[in-house]
Amino acid sequence: MKTFANLQEEVIQKGLCHRCGGCVSVCTAINYGALGFNEEGYPQYKDVEKCIECGVCYMVCPEAAYEEEAFMKAIGWEPPIGPVLAVKVGRAISPEIRQRATDGGVVTALLVHLFKRGMIDGAVVAKRISPFKVVPSLVTSAEEVIEAAGFYHDVSAGVQDWSEKYSTFAPSFEEMRPAMVEKLKRVAIVGTPCQIHTLRKMQFFKVAPSETFYMLLGLFCSGHFNFDEAGRKKLEEIGGFKWDDIAKINIKDALIITLQNGEVKRIPLDEVEDLKRPACKFCEDYAAEFADISFGGIGAPDGWTSVIIRTPKARGAFADARRKTIEEFPLEEDPKLTEKVLETVKKATEIKKEKAKENKKKYLNNG
Ligand SMILES: Cc1cc2nc3c(=O)[nH]c(=O)nc-3n(C[C@H](O)[C@H](O)[C@H](O)COP(=O)(O)OP(=O)(O)OC[C@H]3O[C@@H](n4cnc5c(N)ncnc54)[C@H](O)[C@@H]3O)c2cc1C
Ligand code: SF4
Ligand code: SF4
Ligand code: SF4
């Protein structure tokens, strides 16, 4: 049985770990908590003697490819972008949500609907605590979801957060479980593709607390950029603005920076490629291929969200939210819009996969 020692060798030391926190989460939830995070957010042994060599951390790591074939088959993954049941373009009906949201606010509007319908009793989202600092947050009401709307450029360790919430319920899994069932039974989780991949693997291997996952909502992702001091300086040079002037950041086919004075700067992603976190350079998932439903701004008109529905559960939820919290783009204005969205997402995926393979060859000799 492979364990965290193998993850260290095969994933972390090679620079492939994207800090999703899945390994730490499962170890904390079902064992004695042998793992923790170092200062940079990478997993490490907290107390190696507590490791019972169960191998679950290895199973759920998206980079470890454990029983990959069976996993892909079970979720019905198909090339080139994973399962697609339908493509939609939509936006929130609520002007308040639209005003706070990154694109059309469909993620928030769908979560609000799920809360109102009583389909979920919790959601893991990201919450802003300062302009560029966010914390993953477990929310339990529609109001809190609306507060968390928007784009947060940070490494949201949603999975990690879940483990912390989860592990605080009780000191051991056996005691934790009833508390969990009583408190939160159905949780929707918003995450980047790498996080969603880990969560789906937890579900496939039936690892706690995946029995509480109601729906996995994935965000398209070109990468997380490292805006440390050097990164900020570089961005200021490229964009010709001061960091403090930034009002809002979005990523579509470019890094889109809105300044406080309303001016919008579009920085080609190629120009900020070297600001990406190391693992993002090797990541092949653009469209959150393992989600129930995926969202992005690419392909949609400004102020609208592109949506890829992947599972019947998500299709039902989206249909039920239509005309209640979500409105669809009037396709009579552009009958081919959803086809164009799908093509755009496929193209972006192809580019990301090719680049990741090139980078793996170049940096890891592992193409
Ligand atoms: C790092 C990152 C990179 C992205 N790259 C692309 C891209 O290349 N192309 C593209 O089309 N779209 C990209 N997106 C997705 C896009 O920015 C929007 O999130 C998406 O279009 C949904 O918009 P919305 O208005 O419907 O969502 P909203 O209604 O605004 O809801 C967004 C939800 O996402 C949560 N959230 C925000 N930031 C994070 C985070 N870092 N981790 C986990 N949850 C978070 C919020 O709490 C909120 O619940 C990216 C998003 C992120 C976070
Ligand atoms: S106890 Fe299991 S999950 Fe935790 S580090 Fe060891 S092998 Fe991994
Ligand atoms: S599960 Fe996530 S955090 Fe853990 S080693 Fe794998 S990629 Fe890194
Ligand atoms: S590119 Fe996005 S999905 Fe891929 S590792 Fe980076 S943050 Fe995760």
Side-chain angles (χ1 to χ4, degrees):
M1 177 61 73
K2 289 196 174 185
T3 71
F4 187 71
N6 300 90
L7 278 186
Q8 284 181 311
E9 195 187 317
E10 295 171 27
V11 176
I12 300 163
Q13 282 159 19
K14 283 187 173 173
L16 291 170
C17 169
H18 29 72
R19 297 183 279 179
C20 69
C23 51
V24 181
S25 171
V26 294
C27 187
T28 309
I30 63 174
N31 288 317
Y32 302 107
L35 303 180
F37 294 95
N38 68 16
E39 277 176 7
E40 292 173 316
Y42 286 97
Q44 63 179 9
Y45 278 119
K46 194 168 64 185
D47 186 346
V48 68
E49 285 182 18
K50 287 186 180 170
C51 174
I52 59 166
E53 300 187 8
C54 66
V56 176
C57 54
Y58 190 89
M59 282 181 192
V60 303
C61 175
E63 292 300 330
Y66 179 78
E67 289 193 12
E68 194 70 354
E69 218 179 295
F71 168 67
M72 298 293 249
K73 201 169 161 206
I75 63 151
W77 188 91
E78 47 188 66
I81 63 163
V84 178
L85 293 188
V87 179
K88 305 279 181 188
V89 174
R91 69 179 183 188
I93 291 174
S94 154
E96 186 198 352
I97 295 178
R98 289 214 299 267
Q99 200 262 330
R100 284 171 172 267
T102 329
D103 291 307
V106 178
V107 176
T108 304
L110 185 61
L111 290 174
V112 165
H113 181 71
L114 291 173
F115 267 117
K116 284 187 176 160
R117 287 288 254 155
M119 302 306 278
I120 55 172
D121 49 15
V124 177
V125 293
K127 253 190 181 171
R128 190 195 297 261
I129 52 167
S130 70
F132 293 96
K133 180 75 196 149
V134 300
V135 286
S137 181
L138 176 66
V139 296
T140 52
S141 70
E143 293 71 30
E144 283 181 294
V145 165
I146 295 171
E147 268 174 44
F151 173 92
Y152 300 123
H153 190 86
D154 201 342
V155 185
S156 159
V159 186
Q160 172 194 349
D161 180 61
W162 187 235
S163 91
E164 282 165 5
K165 300 278 178 201
Y166 191 63
S167 61
T168 54
F169 286 138
S172 78
F173 177 57
E174 284 309 312
E175 286 168 296
M176 195 185 319
R177 196 180 164 83
M180 188 72 200
V181 169
E182 192 193 328
K183 287 196 171 167
L184 293 173
K185 297 188 189 103
R186 293 179 305 274
V187 178
I189 306 181
V190 183
T192 48
C194 55
Q195 294 169 338
I196 296 293
H197 193 163
T198 310
L199 294 162
R200 188 63 83 204
K201 283 193 126 183
M202 286 167 73
Q203 251 181 350
F204 175 68
F205 290 113
K206 297 190 170 35
V207 174
S210 68
E211 71 279 9
T212 64
F213 300 170
Y214 179 75
M215 193 177 286
L216 303 180
L217 295 88
L219 305 173
F220 298 174
C221 187
S222 296
H224 263 297
F225 297 92
N226 195 357
F227 293 135
D228 56 9
E229 208 182 323
R232 290 203 287 267
K233 206 157 170 267
K234 171 139 194 201
L235 196 65
E236 287 179 339
E237 279 165 20
I238 297 172
F241 54 78
K242 288 271 163 254
W243 182 256
D244 290 343
D245 295 340
I246 297 175
K248 193 175 168 183
I249 292 189
N250 194 1
I251 306 179
K252 290 196 197 184
D253 49 347
L255 185 61
I256 303 165
I257 313 260
T258 308
L259 302 181
Q260 306 279 1
N261 64 8
E263 193 185 342
V264 177
K265 302 265 185 183
R266 295 179 67 88
I267 300 176
L269 292 174
D270 279 351
E271 288 189 28
V272 284
E273 178 71 16
D274 58 342
L275 295 182
K276 270 188 193 169
R277 292 187 306 140
C280 298
K281 295 187 176 124
F282 309 122
C283 171
E284 298 192 20
D285 190 348
Y286 180 85
E289 296 171 10
F290 302 95
D292 287 287
I293 181 164
S294 310
F295 307 86
I298 202 169
D302 280 350
W304 295 82
T305 306
S306 298
V307 183
I308 296 182
I309 295 173
R310 301 182 178 283
T311 62
K313 182 187 268 185
R315 183 174 55 196
F318 191 91
D320 199 52
R322 208 166 36 210
R323 291 189 286 277
K324 295 189 186 84
T325 60
I326 295 172
E327 64 177 299
E328 281 193 53
F329 185 87
L331 286 179
E332 57 279 10
E333 285 179 22
D334 186 351
K336 295 226 178 282
L337 182 61
T338 53
E339 283 167 48
K340 286 188 271 183
V341 165
L342 187 58
E343 282 318 304
T344 309
V345 175
K346 282 183 180 170
K347 189 72 208 158
T349 299
E350 191 186 319
I351 293 170
K352 190 171 180 186
K353 286 187 194 299
E354 269 171 19
K355 205 169 259 176
K357 285 193 179 101
E358 261 172 42
N359 285 339
K360 278 181 185 166
K361 267 196 195 129
K362 195 164 149 193
Y363 299 109
L364 306 175
N365 201 16
N366 181 22

